[in-house]
Amino acid sequence: MNRSANPPVLRAAVALTAGAAMTLTACSSGGGAAGTAGTDIATVSRAGVRDGGTLRWATDELPRTLNAYQADADADTLTIAGATLPAMYRLDGHGSPRADSDFLASADVAQSPRQVVTYHLNPKAKWSDGQAVGAADFVAQWKALNGKNSAFWTARNAGYDRISDVRQGKDAQQVDVTFASPYADWKSLFSPLYPTSVTSDADTFNDGVRTKLPVVAGPFAVEAVDTKKGTVTLDRNKAWWGEPAKLDRIVLTAVPVDKRPAALAAGALDLAEIDPGAVTAVTGTKGLAVRKAPDAAYAQLAINGSTGPLADERIRHAVARAIDRKAIATAVLRPLGLPDEALGNHLVLPSQDGYRDNSSALGTNDVQQAQALLADAGWTRSNAKTGDQAAGGPGRTAASGAVTVVEPAAAVSKAGKQLTMRFVLPADSPTLDDVGTRIASMLSGIGIRTEITKVAGDSYFQDHIASGDFDLALYSWPGTAYPATDDTPIFAKPVPAPDGSLTVAQNYTRVGTDQIDQLLDRAGGELDTSAARDLTSKADARIWAAAGSIPLYQRPGLVALRTTVANAGAFGFQTPDYQNLGFRK
C-alpha cells in the first residue's frame, strides 16, 4: 500500500523490492481501474463500512522516529503522521495537491510585491489537548526548519528557508506566510504540521517524539510503540472533530516481505504490500485479493560517471543506447496486467498530471549507434581473454557477495584492457535478478563485459551506492508532486568540498550540469503552473542527455488485502483517507 509520495524528509533511494519504498499517501472517494487513475482501491461508501475493528497492516520495520522532518524518518514515520497530524494539502490519484478541508478552508496567494500565502484554517481544527491549530504552530515549525538554528536536527530546509515571516492574520484562523523569494512548491509546506510542543524545543524535536506523539490532531492517535512485538498501535482519536474513524485501531506490524503471503493466509494480517512473485499465491487463497496500480516510484539504472570509462559521456550514452527499456518494462509489468510502457521522465511519472516523455533527448535503443559511440571513444572489438585486466571504475569489494561475470562474445578493449562494468545489486530480489540479467545481456551485445555483485540489502546503499562503489546499479526513487524541490538533491551537479572530496547530496551517479541546476532552480521559483512545468520538462531533457540515470519503468504497486477490507489498496500517489479505512458491513 503506497504511502506519502511527497515526504518532507530527504527522499530515500531504495532497492526495487516490494516493501522497500512504501510511502503512505490517501484515499479521497475514488478508486479507478489499475493504470487509469493511477489507483486500484477497494472503494466502499462510508455508509457501507462497519464501525469498529482492527486493521493489521504489514510494514517494513518500526520507525526510528515519529518526527517526519528528521533524517532517520522513513515511510512508516509518514504513515503515522498522515493518520495523526494536520496536513494543509494531500495528494490525489494524479499526484496533485488538494487542500484538506479538515484543516484548511482555503488559501490565498499574493505575488506582489512579495509572495504571501494566507491560510484560512478550519475553525474546528484543534489538538488533542484542546488547543486550537493556529499561527503559533506555523511559526514554531518555520523556525525549527528554516536552517538558522543548528540545535534542531533537520533533514532539509527546502521551502522553509525561503520564508521571511510567519504571523497570525486578522483573526485566530488566519496565518500569513511571507516569502523572501518566490516559491512554487509552497503547498508542500506545513504538511505534516507538528504542535508547538514539538517544534519550539530542540530536545523534544530531536529526541522527544521518537516513540510517542503525546499531542495529535487527526482521526487517530499513537497508543503505543512496542519494540518487542514490532508494532505501532494507532487508536481512534476521541478528540477528532471530523468524521470519526471507522476503525477502532490500526496496528502496523513489521513483517518481512517474503513472510507476508503466509501471514495473510494465516489470518495474521489484513493488508500488505507484496512482491510480484507472490501474486499468484495470494490470489489463489480464499478470502484474499490483490490490488494493482502504478506505484508512486520508478525503477532506474544508475550509471556512475565520477571516474573510469563512464566519466566519458560517450560511454554512458553507449550503455543507455544498448538498453531496450521497452523490453524491460514489458517483462516486469505485462505479467501483472499493468501498463508496460518504458518510462520517459525522471521528474514526473505517467500517472501524474503533466507527464511528458523526454527520452528523445538521449536517443532510442540502437545497438549500431552504441557501438559507434564506443569506437569513437577508442573502445574496439578485440580478442582479449577473460583474464585480461579490466578497465572499470574504482576497485570493487567482492567479499560482500558472489560475483557473476557476463561475458560478451567479443569484448571491446582499449590499450589491452577490456571494458568491464561492475554491476552492483541488492541480494534476494527475483525482480532485480531478471532486470539485471537482461541489462547485462544487452550490454554484452555491444561488447561490454559485466561483473554482477549481489550484496546484503542493509549495506547496499551505505557501502556501495552512497560511497560510489559501483559502475552500474539498480535502485528506485519515490515520485513527488514537487519535483523542483524534492528532486534537486538527486540531480544537482556535485561540488568539491574543502577537503577535496565531492559533495553529492543524493546524486549518487555523480553526473550533473549547471544547466540542470539552473532549470530546476527557475522551476522552483516559477508561480505560473504551466511555465513551471515547461521548465521542469526542459530540466528532465537535460538529465536524459547527461545519461547518469536511465529510467526504466514506473514500479508496480501490489497490495494484498482481505476481501472484507474497505477503502484500501494500491493508492499510487493518492493520500489515504484514514477515517474511511475499515471493513465492509
Side-chain angles (χ1 to χ4, degrees):
M1 183 162 169
N2 187 286
R3 293 170 260 178
S4 185
N6 56 308
V9 298
L10 283 171
R11 301 190 307 141
V14 293
L16 307 185
T17 53
M22 288 178 24
T23 56
L24 211 172
T25 47
C27 73
S28 42
S29 56
T36 54
T39 63
D40 186 14
I41 301 167
T43 303
V44 179
S45 68
R46 185 172 169 83
V49 182
R50 69 178 173 90
D51 293 324
T54 297
L55 182 71
R56 298 159 302 174
W57 187 347
T59 188
D60 292 330
E61 59 185 1
L62 287 184
R64 294 179 291 276
T65 179
L66 301 185
N67 183 345
Y69 295 101
Q70 289 190 311
D72 52 357
D74 57 19
D76 300 304
T77 306
L78 298 168
T79 299
I80 295 165
T84 62
L85 293 172
M88 298 304 104
Y89 288 86
R90 300 182 190 268
L91 302 186
D92 66 14
H94 295 286
S96 297
R98 306 295 181 193
D100 186 332
S101 59
D102 283 324
F103 302 100
L104 183 63
S106 64
D108 303 322
V109 183
Q111 298 187 21
S112 181
R114 284 187 174 182
Q115 180 186 0
V116 178
V117 177
T118 299
Y119 296 88
H120 302 279
L121 303 180
N122 183 338
K124 295 180 180 179
K126 63 179 180 180
W127 298 100
S128 54
D129 61 2
Q131 295 291 315
V133 175
D137 303 301
F138 282 70
V139 171
Q141 183 150 312
W142 162 54
K143 290 183 177 180
L145 298 179
N146 64 12
K148 294 183 178 180
N149 188 343
S150 60
F152 289 86
W153 302 342
T154 61
R156 62 185 300 194
N157 314 108
Y160 292 96
D161 58 357
R162 296 202 191 194
I163 297 174
S164 60
D165 185 58
V166 180
R167 63 180 61 194
Q168 181 176 307
K170 63 181 180 181
D171 57 44
Q173 281 75 52
Q174 183 171 307
V175 182
D176 293 330
V177 177
T178 302
F179 291 83
S181 60
Y183 186 54
D185 293 335
W186 61 269
K187 291 180 180 178
S188 67
L189 304 176
F190 306 107
S191 297
L193 177 69
Y194 283 81
T196 54
S197 58
V198 172
T199 52
S200 63
D201 178 76
D203 289 337
T204 303
F205 183 92
N206 298 336
D207 291 313
V209 290
R210 289 195 172 274
T211 59
K212 61 183 178 180
L213 279 178
V215 180
V216 297
F220 288 90
V222 179
E223 191 277 328
V225 176
D226 191 323
T227 55
K228 291 184 178 180
K229 293 182 178 179
T231 60
V232 178
T233 301
L234 307 178
D235 280 357
R236 184 189 288 131
N237 178 14
K238 296 179 176 62
W240 172 244
W241 61 91
E243 290 185 312
K246 284 288 187 177
L247 291 166
D248 291 324
R249 65 189 54 85
I250 297 172
V251 179
L252 301 174
T253 305
V255 180
V257 174
D258 62 344
K259 297 185 183 302
R260 292 177 188 175
L264 286 157
L269 289 174
D270 302 303
L271 184 66
E273 189 168 359
I274 60 172
D275 271 327
V279 171
T280 300
V282 171
T283 54
T285 302
K286 185 178 180 179
L288 298 179
V290 176
R291 294 284 174 157
K292 308 172 185 178
D295 200 3
Y298 71 94
Q300 55 134 22
L301 173 68
I303 302 176
N304 185 352
S306 62
T307 188
L310 288 172
D312 187 332
E313 186 177 278
R314 292 171 297 182
I315 306 301
R316 299 199 302 273
H317 273 254
V319 169
R321 291 288 189 93
I323 295 170
D324 188 339
R325 298 184 300 113
K326 169 62 176 175
I328 292 172
T330 297
V332 173
L333 300 173
R334 182 172 291 178
L336 300 171
L338 292 171
D340 60 356
E341 291 301 314
L343 179 60
N345 200 304
H346 299 78
L347 308 176
V348 182
L349 300 185
S351 58
Q352 289 181 269
D353 292 328
Y355 173 78
R356 300 178 189 173
D357 187 336
N358 296 309
S359 59
S360 60
L362 174 66
T364 58
N365 171 231
D366 190 319
V367 172
Q368 289 186 336
Q369 287 197 18
Q371 291 172 330
L373 286 164
L374 292 177
D376 187 56
W379 295 91
T380 57
R381 296 281 183 177
S382 73
N383 295 317
K385 298 179 181 179
T386 301
D388 288 352
Q389 184 179 0
R396 61 182 174 87
T397 53
S400 61
V403 177
T404 301
V405 178
V406 179
E407 299 280 4
V412 295
S413 64
K414 185 178 184 179
K417 298 178 181 179
Q418 290 184 338
L419 182 53
T420 299
M421 302 294 174
R422 295 169 305 113
F423 201 167
V424 181
L425 301 174
D428 304 321
S429 171
T431 298
L432 283 180
D433 285 345
D434 181 66
V435 174
T437 300
R438 288 174 185 273
I439 289 174
S441 177
M442 292 169 186
L443 293 180
S444 70
I446 61 169
I448 294 179
R449 179 176 179 269
T450 57
E451 296 178 351
I452 299 177
T453 302
K454 297 179 184 178
V455 299
D458 55 0
S459 66
Y460 182 61
F461 285 102
Q462 180 177 346
D463 296 342
H464 294 273
I465 306 305
S467 66
D469 183 26
F470 70 97
D471 290 325
L472 306 175
L474 291 173
Y475 54 89
S476 70
W477 285 113
T480 174
Y482 311 104
T485 296
D486 290 340
D487 286 339
T488 289
I490 297 172
F491 299 109
K493 181 180 178 180
V495 295
D499 64 358
S501 64
L502 203 61
T503 300
V504 302
Q506 292 178 287
N507 186 350
Y508 303 131
T509 69
R510 281 88 174 157
V511 175
T513 69
D514 292 333
Q515 188 178 24
I516 292 170
D517 293 352
Q518 292 161 6
L519 287 166
L520 287 175
D521 183 64
R522 288 172 59 194
E526 178 53 68
L527 299 182
D528 180 270
T529 301
S530 178
R533 283 181 176 171
D534 286 342
L535 289 166
T536 300
S537 188
K538 289 178 181 177
D540 178 57
R542 301 323 305 159
I543 295 170
W544 275 106
S549 167
I550 310 303
L552 301 174
Y553 52 87
Q554 187 169 357
R555 283 182 43 182
L558 306 172
V559 177
L561 71 170
R562 211 157 296 288
T563 53
T564 53
V565 171
N567 296 321
F571 283 106
F573 278 92
Q574 188 173 305
T575 309
D577 188 355
Y578 292 89
Q579 57 262 51
N580 290 337
L581 295 176
F583 297 92
R584 299 171 187 267
K585 286 184 177 178

